[in-house]
Amino acid sequence: MHKVAIIGVGCSKFGEMWDSGFRDIVISAGVEALEDAGLEGKEIEAMFVGNMSGGRYLAQEHIAALIADYAGLAEFNIPSTRVEAADASGGLALRQAYMAVASGVHDIVIAAGAEKVTDVGNPMDIMISSIDKEWEGFVGATLPALYAIIAKLHMEKYGTKEEDLALVSVKNHKNGALNPKAQFRKEITIETALNSTYVAEPLKLFDCAPISDGAAVVILASEEVARKYTDTPVYIEACSQASDYLAIQNRKDILTMNSVVVAAKQAYKQAKIETKDIDVAEVHDSFTIAEILAYEDLGFVKKGEGAKLIREGVTELHGDLPVNTSGGLKACGHAIGATGVRQAVEIVLQLRGDAGKRQVNAEKGLALNIGGTGATAIVTIFSR
Amino acid sequence: MHKVAIIGVGCSKFGEMWDSGFRDIVISAGVEALEDAGLEGKEIEAMFVGNMSGGRYLAQEHIAALIADYAGLAEFNIPSTRVEAADASGGLALRQAYMAVASGVHDIVIAAGAEKVTDVGNPMDIMISSIDKEWEGFVGATLPALYAIIAKLHMEKYGTKEEDLALVSVKNHKNGALNPKAQFRKEITIETALNSTYVAEPLKLFDCAPISDGAAVVILASEEVARKYTDTPVYIEACSQASDYLAIQNRKDILTMNSVVVAAKQAYKQAKIETKDIDVAEVHDSFTIAEILAYEDLGFVKKGEGAKLIREGVTELHGDLPVNTSGGLKACGHAIGATGVRQAVEIVLQLRGDAGKRQVNAEKGLALNIGGTGATAIVTIFSR
């Protein structure tokens, strides 16, 4: 396997982009990435695009060919492939691009993630297609409802409190306030979080990430090629993917996402590191309880002890292990198919020292992207 | 790159499967493939699934995790990835699986394709999302309309006749009548085809493939591993993918699908063969004119001479170069995301000598899978 580097990153603003179409948003992120890498579109050999529901949000499938076309690459006839695993679609695109370079098939490959959700009446309805429609959706379960069940059991079994969940939200809003691309650039108090309305008890409005418009692009290259373009490559040391039962009812323990546990173990092994070597992480806080689970399933703490990390400030911006320095899905925004790539953008900026006011000191980073309630997980480990 | 073999194939019946759900159809094809290969599900290391519009046909995305789960593989946490490029989704799944084995990352990988289209009111509406929704769909263009424009120009420029198109349909129905999995197992006369109603002039009902429910599965393995499971491996000599402008209005010549030309050239080169070495082919006859274009863009004849092959009987079942021995999309049925994998199943059966009444004499085969009007094309070359 060849060593793979990221040589350019780009990200659109996340949020409700009423003035921009899907194509505009993707292209803005792509242009930023190309400029960052200092290369021209025609040097791109292949493209992978993460998008969850173009069919339902835009009445447009065949999204990868569309993006290659609108990026001006149609005349080069490059292979352009859409991948989908709900809101882990971006992570999948990153992984496929990584494999394409690691295997030596291509030298320069784009991984893009994009979603435009605000062009339809009730975008949340569409998110339900990420869970098991026949066994969960049909009986009225929604994403907040399923995560609420998980949160309730975590509280009962391990003593996690609504205050702990609120602290995750407060932290991520604090970080998001420092991120010019974030949807919500406003700090909140723990009272604001705790006094917000219940969406699905015990999860309140401020426990739930928004769903957003947005796009992110990273450009990957083999180590040898990367040197021609940048003095600050960020390497992908591992990128692992695993699956789990689609419906949470079939899992032995709904408090453990086996997909995350397995993908993380594989990634640590391939990268030849231990959990404690990670300096900064972006995890999939679609709900605050998901960030607590991520602490545990990634091995940062033992199962059941996730709340300790947020209570003790370990995962704060200047804590020992900063998590979601971008603001996470909660404050940066959750542009579904874009999120996995957007997480990679944040880790690259942190490892290069380009993260501005939210810069932390880090040599190794991790990103965890999850689909639905964890039927798909991708864990990526980066180093500078 | 490692040599890649297909060690098992499975295919559901194609058609209007009112009695079966999406999950049943996929699993039936998967079980057939596992039995054909003589292996157990737990030996599968990864899965790629081609599906165009689960979101709209089923209100279900996250299809690859769903299939891994329903195949009983959730406990093994294997990576399972959905890929999409409209009706080239199956071809993409085959290609990703091929790359995963060729690169040495995995030894045994499943490529599946599946679509269930009959659970919604107007499935054809959804097909429009395979073309450019903003520049084609919004102004009322449909798949038949766009292929009709192509057909009209081909007739004007090269003298192709409606009778030639009808002959493609007659041939494919004749072949489909011999295929137990085919949707339409009935021969038709040229009069039936010519007297059928116009869908989009000059294309008539019998020039248009149906859209169907169906699933197909192939199991790929590295050459070394393949030997343990089968004495009749079929090798994938090449699997190439290319893209083109999404909207036909942007192409220099709407009578040439550059994606097909480029993918074919790459595939022939990688397989170290010439066009004349191909003994049997499955091509993407979503409309009869598409089969004529395929003859040309694959290099079987020069541009403009496609109709000659069907007039002279070259592509008949017992002609010099049998095309669509399965019945093609027209008679076997077009289960959208399944089609690219279904084509591979047919070529494997032909090369193994397992094609029953439609058996031809062949050592090398080719499959061409197209998305929409050709914005994506995958060309695969097989040998026994």
Side-chain angles (χ1 to χ4, degrees):
Chain A
M1 301 286 274
H2 299 247
K3 193 159 185 177
V4 180
I6 294 178
I7 60 170
V9 296
C11 189
S12 76
K13 180 107 179 57
F14 272 36
E16 297 186 2
M17 314 274 278
W18 301 104
D19 297 339
S20 305
F22 175 77
R23 300 164 197 223
D24 309 315
I25 296 172
V26 184
I27 298 308
S28 77
V31 167
E32 196 176 294
L34 287 170
E35 286 178 353
D36 184 44
L39 56 73
E40 289 180 69
K42 66 181 179 188
E43 296 171 87
I44 303 296
E45 296 172 20
M47 186 182 287
F48 293 90
V49 177
N51 171 265
M52 172 175 162
S53 268
R56 293 183 72 191
Y57 286 123
L58 309 167
Q60 178 75 65
E61 310 279 7
H62 218 163
I63 292 282
L66 171 85
I67 293 179
D69 183 353
Y70 276 77
L73 304 181
E75 63 178 304
F76 306 113
N77 305 111
I78 59 167
S80 187
T81 303
R82 174 193 169 199
V83 289
E84 185 271 326
D87 41 344
S89 301
L92 277 196
L94 181 68
R95 182 165 189 266
Q96 297 304 315
Y98 165 74
M99 305 285 268
V101 176
S103 63
V105 173
H106 293 294
D107 276 328
I108 303 183
V109 175
I110 275 194
E115 206 87 45
K116 180 82 169 79
V117 302
T118 51
D119 292 351
V120 293
N122 189 348
M124 280 311 296
D125 272 358
I126 295 171
M127 281 311 293
I128 297 171
S129 58
S130 67
I131 60 177
D132 191 320
K133 176 234 184 183
E134 291 191 11
W135 292 96
E136 296 178 325
F138 263 178
V139 293
T142 60
L143 267 293
L146 294 173
Y147 275 101
I149 292 170
I150 293 171
K152 261 213 130 117
L153 187 62
H154 205 277
M155 292 165 71
E156 192 180 298
K157 198 162 171 188
Y158 300 121
T160 300
K161 307 277 179 220
E162 294 190 24
E163 287 76 6
D164 300 323
L165 302 178
L167 283 173
V168 171
S169 186
V170 170
K171 167 181 75 69
N172 290 349
H173 270 270
K174 202 168 161 188
N175 294 347
L178 303 175
N179 182 356
K181 300 291 177 70
Q183 178 164 4
F184 300 121
R185 302 197 58 197
K186 198 179 165 186
E187 294 194 27
I188 58 163
T189 64
I190 189 159
E191 291 74 28
T192 304
L194 284 173
N195 294 330
S196 66
T197 190
Y198 279 117
V199 172
E201 197 252 314
L203 299 180
K204 307 177 198 74
L205 184 63
F206 278 90
D207 290 305
C208 308
I211 63 171
S212 323
D213 303 329
V217 171
V218 303
I219 303 175
L220 295 81
S222 58
E223 188 180 18
E224 309 80 63
V225 172
R227 284 208 198 93
K228 292 185 210 162
Y229 290 97
T230 180
D231 296 328
T232 55
V234 168
Y235 297 103
I236 299 182
E237 300 289 345
C239 187
S240 298
Q241 175 191 353
S243 60
D244 199 352
Y245 296 93
L246 187 57
I248 64 170
Q249 68 195 16
N250 294 321
R251 301 179 193 168
K252 270 180 208 148
D253 172 16
I254 65 168
L255 298 183
T256 302
M257 288 189 192
N258 277 331
S259 57
V260 178
V261 173
V262 169
K265 266 189 197 154
Q266 286 178 359
Y268 293 141
K269 191 178 164 195
Q270 189 191 328
K272 299 191 181 76
I273 63 166
E274 293 177 59
T275 314
K276 65 175 174 50
D277 298 323
I278 300 294
D279 302 312
V280 62
E282 289 282 305
V283 308
H284 197 96
D285 59 320
S286 49
F287 298 91
T288 48
I289 183 65
E291 181 162 330
I292 304 272
L293 290 188
Y295 295 165
E296 300 168 353
D297 293 335
L298 291 167
F300 296 167
V301 287
K302 277 189 215 153
K303 181 52 64 187
E305 296 181 1
K308 247 176 62 178
L309 286 192
I310 188 76
R311 275 179 217 151
E312 296 175 359
V314 175
T315 53
E316 296 280 338
L317 190 61
H318 297 296
D320 279 350
L321 174 53
V323 172
N324 285 334
T325 57
S326 66
L329 283 61
K330 177 65 199 80
C332 185
H334 183 22
I336 318 298
T339 284
V341 182
R342 202 272 309 145
Q343 293 176 320
V345 171
E346 178 69 10
I347 298 292
V348 168
L349 293 177
Q350 290 288 357
L351 297 187
R352 291 202 316 211
D354 290 339
K357 290 183 180 168
R358 60 190 194 287
Q359 183 66 51
V360 300
N361 186 16
E363 296 204 350
K364 290 191 196 306
L366 176 150
L368 166 64
N369 188 200
I370 284 173
T373 54
T376 299
I378 297 109
V379 173
T380 310
I381 293 174
F382 306 81
S383 73
R384 68 176 188 203
Chain B
M1 302 285 275
H2 298 247
K3 194 160 184 175
V4 180
I6 294 178
I7 60 170
V9 297
C11 188
S12 77
K13 179 109 179 57
F14 272 36
E16 298 185 3
M17 315 274 278
W18 302 104
D19 297 338
S20 305
F22 175 77
R23 300 164 196 223
D24 310 314
I25 297 172
V26 184
I27 299 308
S28 76
V31 167
E32 196 177 293
L34 286 169
E35 286 179 354
D36 184 44
L39 54 74
E40 290 181 69
K42 66 181 180 189
E43 296 171 88
I44 303 295
E45 297 173 18
M47 186 182 289
F48 292 90
V49 178
N51 171 266
M52 173 173 163
S53 268
R56 293 182 74 192
Y57 286 123
L58 309 168
Q60 179 74 66
E61 311 277 7
H62 218 163
I63 292 282
L66 171 86
I67 294 179
D69 182 353
Y70 277 76
L73 304 181
E75 64 178 302
F76 307 113
N77 305 109
I78 60 166
S80 188
T81 303
R82 174 192 170 200
V83 288
E84 184 271 325
D87 41 343
S89 301
L92 278 196
L94 181 67
R95 183 166 189 264
Q96 297 303 315
Y98 165 74
M99 304 285 267
V101 177
S103 63
V105 172
H106 293 295
D107 275 329
I108 303 183
V109 175
I110 275 196
E115 206 88 44
K116 181 82 168 79
V117 303
T118 51
D119 292 350
V120 294
N122 189 349
M124 280 311 296
D125 273 358
I126 295 170
M127 282 310 294
I128 297 172
S129 58
S130 67
I131 60 176
D132 191 320
K133 176 236 187 182
E134 292 193 11
W135 292 96
E136 295 179 324
F138 262 178
V139 293
T142 61
L143 267 295
L146 294 173
Y147 274 101
I149 292 170
I150 293 171
K152 261 216 129 109
L153 187 61
H154 205 276
M155 292 165 71
E156 193 180 299
K157 199 163 170 186
Y158 299 122
T160 300
K161 307 277 178 220
E162 293 190 25
E163 286 76 7
D164 300 322
L165 302 178
L167 283 173
V168 172
S169 185
V170 170
K171 166 181 74 72
N172 290 349
H173 271 268
K174 203 169 161 187
N175 294 346
L178 304 174
N179 182 356
K181 300 290 178 69
Q183 178 163 6
F184 301 120
R185 302 195 60 197
K186 198 179 163 184
E187 294 195 27
I188 58 163
T189 63
I190 188 158
E191 290 74 27
T192 305
L194 284 172
N195 294 332
S196 66
T197 190
Y198 279 117
V199 172
E201 197 252 314
L203 300 179
K204 306 177 199 72
L205 184 63
F206 278 90
D207 290 305
C208 308
I211 63 173
S212 323
D213 302 330
V217 171
V218 302
I219 303 174
L220 294 81
S222 58
E223 188 180 16
E224 307 81 64
V225 172
R227 284 208 198 92
K228 293 184 210 160
Y229 290 97
T230 180
D231 296 328
T232 54
V234 168
Y235 297 103
I236 298 182
E237 300 290 344
C239 188
S240 299
Q241 175 193 353
S243 60
D244 199 353
Y245 296 93
L246 188 56
I248 64 168
Q249 68 196 19
N250 294 321
R251 301 179 193 167
K252 270 180 208 146
D253 172 16
I254 65 168
L255 298 183
T256 301
M257 289 189 190
N258 277 330
S259 57
V260 178
V261 173
V262 168
K265 267 189 197 156
Q266 287 177 0
Y268 293 140
K269 192 179 163 191
Q270 189 190 328
K272 298 192 182 77
I273 63 165
E274 293 176 59
T275 315
K276 65 175 173 49
D277 298 325
I278 301 294
D279 302 312
V280 61
E282 289 282 305
V283 307
H284 197 95
D285 59 320
S286 48
F287 299 90
T288 47
I289 183 65
E291 180 162 330
I292 305 273
L293 290 188
Y295 295 165
E296 300 169 352
D297 293 336
L298 291 168
F300 296 166
V301 287
K302 278 190 214 151
K303 182 50 69 186
E305 296 181 1
K308 249 175 62 179
L309 286 191
I310 188 75
R311 276 180 217 151
E312 295 174 0
V314 175
T315 54
E316 295 281 338
L317 190 60
H318 297 295
D320 279 349
L321 173 53
V323 172
N324 286 334
T325 56
S326 66
L329 284 61
K330 178 67 200 78
C332 185
H334 183 24
I336 318 297
T339 284
V341 181
R342 202 274 307 146
Q343 293 175 319
V345 171
E346 177 69 11
I347 298 292
V348 168
L349 294 177
Q350 289 288 357
L351 297 187
R352 292 201 318 211
D354 290 339
K357 291 185 181 167
R358 60 190 194 286
Q359 183 66 51
V360 299
N361 186 15
E363 298 204 347
K364 290 190 196 308
L366 176 150
L368 166 63
N369 188 201
I370 283 173
T373 55
T376 299
I378 297 108
V379 174
T380 311
I381 293 174
F382 307 81
S383 73
R384 71 174 187 207

